[in-house]
Amino acid sequence: MTKRPGRGTAGPPPGRGRGSDGAGRPGTKGSAARRPARGGMGPSPRKETPRTKPPRREAPRDDAGSAGTPTKKPGPKKPAQKPAQKAPPKPAQKKAPAKAPPGKSRAGATTQNAHTARPPRTGPRGPRPGGGSGRRPPPRGPRTRVPFHRRDPLKRLNVGLLVVAFVLSLFAGRLVQLQTIESGKYSEQAMRQRLQKIELPAIRGDITDAQGHPLAMTVEARAIYADPSLIKADKRQTIVNALAPTLGLNPSTLMKQLSKPDTRFVYLAHGVRPDQARLITSWNFLGIGTLPEYRREYPNDSLAAGVIGFVNDTGKGAAGLESSMNGVLAGRAGWQRVEISPEGQHIPMGEDQRRPSEPGRGVRLTLRRDLQFKAQQAIEKQVRATKAKSGSVIVMDPRTGRLLAMASAPGFDPNEYAKSDGDLWGSPLVQAAYEPGSTGKVVTAAAVMEHGGVTPHTPYTVPDTIRKYDIAFRDSHPHATERLTFAGVLATSSNVGTIMASESISSQRLYQTLRDFGFGTKTGLPLPSETPGLLKPPAQWSGTDRYPIAFGQTVSVNAVQMASVYATIANGGVRVEPTLVEGTVGDDDKFTPAREPRRKQVISARTARQISDMLEGVTTREGTAPRAQIAGYRVAGKTGTAENVNPRTGGYDGGGYTASFAGFAPADDPQLVVQVVLQDPKRGSHYGGDAAAPVFKDVMSFALQSEKVPPTGSRPPTVQIHARD
């Protein structure tokens, strides 16, 4: 059996002896004696030179143990001339290799033992020591592990140092970039994350009546805020379920606010009462907090709500004086920037910038609270009684132009404005325009008496119908043709008689007189969305427009404008601009009066006196408003019953009526004017003398008493109604 080729000239494996026949034989004495000092080389023809300290290397062990000497653990080194005697290794159990044709071993001898045969193997072949060309069998089992030869440690150290230096240079470069080049940007980002801007609300100024009674005041409150970054997702629904019903918030909107990403501060509610804020704080929700602020309160509920308005949830005036004078009342809010820790706590020694707030100024009105209450009570009662769409009452001092009461119905409670209809939030006293009807006849009377030569005794033959061009104009009720004085025309409120008197002046003169009395011009009151009414110039009048304009139709005014007309008559023909704001009050309680209202002589005092006497005849039994009489006082006034335009047809049919009454007392020394308007009364009479005059009497009686106006000491004039032939 031919053995596997060996490893060339390298000879037998290290540590393996060679027998007398040239083949390596384990376990023979000779092999141990003739083993060279260094394993791995066979006998050499050279003479061995003994070494003092021969190096010893462990021969690789053959796992099968059939051809080599077992590997020994390193021990003390010995001279090569005296190798240590070792016991022969136990041969490992091996499987017999497959039979092969007989051949020669590396020594040229025939294979003696079949169990030493190896499979053929290719590899480098070298000369055998001693000139032999045979092959030695390689060891069985796993391949021999190649020893690792360590390289130069200095080079490895240099390479390692270079790698470390490179990495450190990267870190150093990034550090330089962060701390020098980009330090400002990151510092700013970090500061923005910590800094929170907190608004410092200003104390809103109070609104008071003329005696200083509060109509709108500022009280302490709390704002509820959230820090979404601190609120965990599984806690959001719990917070929503607790806060939404307590604060009256929409749950879905609240959930969106609590879920805002990259947000540290968001307001949830403003103007929360302190007791509610304490309840919310007691729940200890992480990320929910409160801030001190102020809440607007209206101690008289709906009193003068149409004039005062209200402040919305954001702290801004949204209607009435709260809106139009927001700049005066609100003051200037301040702010504070503080550093907040990631846990939401204020950092005491951190950045702290502050701009203090400036409180707003208080506004003192000309209204009288008690008189306002009486006027509002009276108009609300009459609106319910007549089932009118709406109503209003104005009380005015004709000498100063001060408005003492401005009531309207239906109203709303500004403390709970969100629960009311948004159409009620305005002020119909200046926003609603209406056709004055017969109350506007006093302007025509002033024009014809001042410029047309008409006197209270000028006679007119008055039928119940008069035709102008293709239009027939009628009185409010059918009657036989009457012989009336101009005073009688005014007292009986005849449309036909007014048209006849108006023909004594031109259309331009009639228009100019209307303008002088304030028609078509805003009153200048600090209330939002005031309407100037409707008064076209004569160039835009049609051929018949001047006739209905003469008796108060085809033109429109607001309630304050009409009250100002009668105040002008009562004040001797001098029109004083209506005034609502008496002045402002600073935080030091220093009062600053408002500017003096403008004054204008519209008609002569003589004409105004004559018209006043004529208007006293309206409240007599022969006039249209005997229900406006007040015991002990002389009363002058005028009824109005105007048709309203039907928005569906554009005409007057089916549009309803406006019942009104405007007058003043005492007629001999006028000190108070009261204007009453009822829109579309549906129950009872729709005439001004029946629907509006009783409200005038009720409010005027109270006003005369509250203002301590003494009863009239003079006798009323005799007003001639019917003309003598």
Side-chain angles (χ1 to χ4, degrees), residues 51-337:
R51 298 183 180 180
T52 305
K53 293 182 180 180
R56 296 186 57 141
R57 294 184 63 184
E58 250 183 49
R61 180 177 177 178
D62 181 21
D63 290 342
S66 62
T69 305
T71 304
K72 291 181 64 178
K73 294 182 179 179
K77 297 181 180 179
K78 296 181 180 181
Q81 290 82 358
K82 296 181 180 181
Q85 299 294 325
K86 293 185 290 185
K90 296 181 180 181
Q93 299 296 328
K94 299 180 182 178
K95 294 183 181 180
K99 292 183 179 181
K104 293 183 178 181
S105 65
R106 285 182 298 177
T110 305
T111 304
Q112 301 280 331
N113 300 318
H115 66 271
T116 60
R118 298 269 192 258
R121 179 176 177 179
T122 61
R125 182 178 301 177
R128 183 178 176 182
S133 60
R135 302 175 183 173
R136 67 176 180 86
R140 296 279 304 253
R143 295 181 60 183
T144 305
R145 183 176 178 181
V146 179
F148 175 73
H149 299 283
R150 299 182 182 274
R151 297 182 180 178
D152 188 351
L154 184 59
K155 291 183 178 180
R156 292 199 307 273
L157 180 61
N158 291 337
V159 172
L161 291 176
L162 288 175
V163 172
V164 171
F166 177 73
V167 173
L168 291 177
S169 66
L170 293 179
F171 285 126
R174 181 58 175 164
L175 187 62
V176 170
Q177 181 185 17
L178 293 176
Q179 293 190 345
T180 58
I181 301 175
E182 299 180 357
S183 62
K185 180 180 71 174
Y186 289 106
S187 297
E188 183 180 354
Q189 290 179 358
M191 184 61 72
R192 280 202 306 265
Q193 291 176 353
R194 296 193 307 272
L195 275 182
Q196 295 295 330
K197 184 177 181 180
I198 301 175
E199 183 178 351
L200 302 177
I203 301 178
R204 193 176 182 88
D206 294 344
I207 299 177
T208 65
D209 74 342
Q211 284 82 31
H213 299 121
L215 302 176
M217 58 190 300
T218 299
V219 297
E220 185 180 356
R222 296 291 185 272
I224 309 300
Y225 72 91
D227 185 347
S229 66
L230 298 179
I231 301 176
K232 296 181 180 180
D234 57 345
K235 298 293 184 181
R236 292 172 185 163
Q237 191 60 51
T238 303
I239 297 176
V240 170
N241 294 340
L243 294 184
T246 304
L247 300 175
L249 302 176
N250 185 287
S252 59
T253 303
L254 182 58
M255 178 61 76
K256 291 179 181 179
Q257 290 177 311
L258 298 180
S259 306
K260 286 185 176 181
D262 303 327
T263 302
R264 295 296 309 274
F265 186 89
V266 58
Y267 278 112
L268 302 181
H270 291 275
V272 179
R273 294 194 303 270
D275 57 337
Q276 283 186 317
R278 285 193 295 269
L279 174 63
I280 294 172
T281 304
S282 67
W283 293 335
N284 294 323
F285 288 136
L286 182 64
I288 302 297
T290 65
L291 291 173
E293 63 174 15
Y294 304 98
R295 181 171 61 89
R296 200 64 162 170
E297 190 173 275
Y298 303 91
N300 302 290
D301 298 330
S302 62
L303 187 71
V307 175
I308 298 171
F310 60 87
V311 172
N312 60 21
D313 292 339
T314 63
K316 294 182 179 180
L321 291 172
E322 295 276 31
S323 174
S324 60
M325 301 192 70
N326 186 73
V328 176
L329 293 165
R332 190 184 73 172
W335 51 264
Q336 182 180 11
R337 288 192 180 97

Side-chain angles (χ1 to χ4, degrees), residues 333-683:
W335 51 264
Q336 182 180 11
R337 288 192 180 97
V338 297
E339 287 191 66
I340 303 297
S341 69
E343 292 77 21
Q345 301 297 323
H346 177 212
I347 302 175
M349 302 301 293
E351 182 75 16
D352 193 347
Q353 301 176 2
R354 178 192 295 261
R355 188 187 76 179
S357 60
E358 296 181 6
R361 297 183 64 85
V363 175
R364 183 184 298 176
L365 304 182
T366 59
L367 303 180
R368 307 292 178 90
R369 184 184 62 176
D370 295 342
L371 184 55
Q372 177 73 28
F373 177 80
K374 179 61 179 180
Q376 189 160 317
Q377 184 185 53
I379 194 61
E380 287 176 350
K381 179 181 177 181
Q382 191 69 353
V383 166
R384 290 192 300 267
T386 61
K387 291 187 175 181
K389 180 180 178 181
S390 63
S392 65
V393 175
I394 293 175
V395 181
M396 187 175 182
D397 185 339
R399 300 164 299 180
T400 62
R402 293 177 180 174
L403 295 163
L404 307 181
M406 298 178 68
S408 60
F412 68 97
D413 185 354
N415 292 306
E416 298 180 344
Y417 66 90
K419 297 181 180 179
S420 61
D421 187 353
D423 294 337
L424 303 177
W425 295 350
S427 179
L429 298 162
V430 295
Q431 292 179 357
Y434 68 96
E435 295 189 6
S438 295
T439 55
K441 291 175 181 176
V442 295
V443 180
T444 303
V448 298
M449 293 177 68
E450 190 81 2
H451 305 285
V454 177
T455 68
H457 303 287
T458 302
Y460 293 95
T461 302
V462 183
D464 64 348
T465 302
I466 187 172
R467 180 172 290 277
K468 293 297 180 180
Y469 300 101
D470 57 345
I471 298 177
F473 298 97
R474 297 180 174 83
D475 279 339
S476 59
H477 56 278
H479 61 83
T481 301
E482 298 177 305
R483 187 73 172 165
L484 301 173
T485 64
F486 184 61
V489 169
L490 197 61
T492 59
S493 192
S494 172
N495 295 337
V496 175
T498 303
I499 291 174
M500 296 171 66
S502 69
E503 291 183 317
S504 63
I505 58 174
S506 65
S507 298
Q508 183 62 38
R509 174 55 61 186
L510 177 60
Y511 168 78
Q512 188 59 49
T513 305
L514 290 167
R515 292 283 296 182
D516 291 342
F517 273 93
F519 279 58
T521 306
K522 293 183 179 181
T523 62
L525 294 179
L527 291 172
S529 305
E530 180 183 358
T531 175
L534 177 64
L535 177 62
K536 297 179 181 179
Q540 299 180 19
W541 293 0
S542 66
T544 58
D545 278 351
R546 62 165 291 154
Y547 303 114
I549 288 174
F551 59 80
Q553 300 269 194
T554 316
V555 293
S556 64
V557 293
N558 62 49
V560 177
Q561 286 174 328
M562 205 67 241
S564 178
V565 169
Y566 282 82
T568 302
I569 300 295
N571 196 39
V574 179
R575 182 179 184 272
V576 182
E577 187 179 52
T579 302
L580 177 60
V581 177
E582 191 169 321
T584 60
V585 181
D587 57 347
D588 55 354
D589 293 333
K590 182 179 179 181
F591 177 74
T592 303
R595 65 171 180 82
E596 286 293 322
R598 289 187 289 267
R599 297 169 176 265
K600 180 180 179 181
Q601 187 77 44
V602 176
I603 56 175
S604 65
R606 179 174 177 274
T607 301
R609 181 73 263 168
Q610 290 177 334
I611 294 175
S612 177
D613 292 344
M614 293 164 63
L615 291 177
E616 283 193 70
V618 175
T619 61
T620 63
R621 292 183 179 275
E622 294 180 312
T624 58
R627 299 179 67 178
Q629 291 181 1
I630 300 174
Y633 293 89
R634 291 170 55 182
V635 177
K638 183 71 185 72
T639 59
T641 306
E643 292 182 287
N644 295 332
V645 175
N646 188 338
R648 294 191 300 271
T649 63
Y652 289 107
D653 292 339
Y657 295 89
T658 296
S660 61
F661 185 90
F664 48 87
D668 57 332
D669 183 19
Q671 297 186 39
L672 294 170
V673 172
V674 175
Q675 158 86 3
V676 180
V677 179
L678 286 167
Q679 293 292 347
D680 196 18
K682 298 180 179 64
R683 178 186 290 175

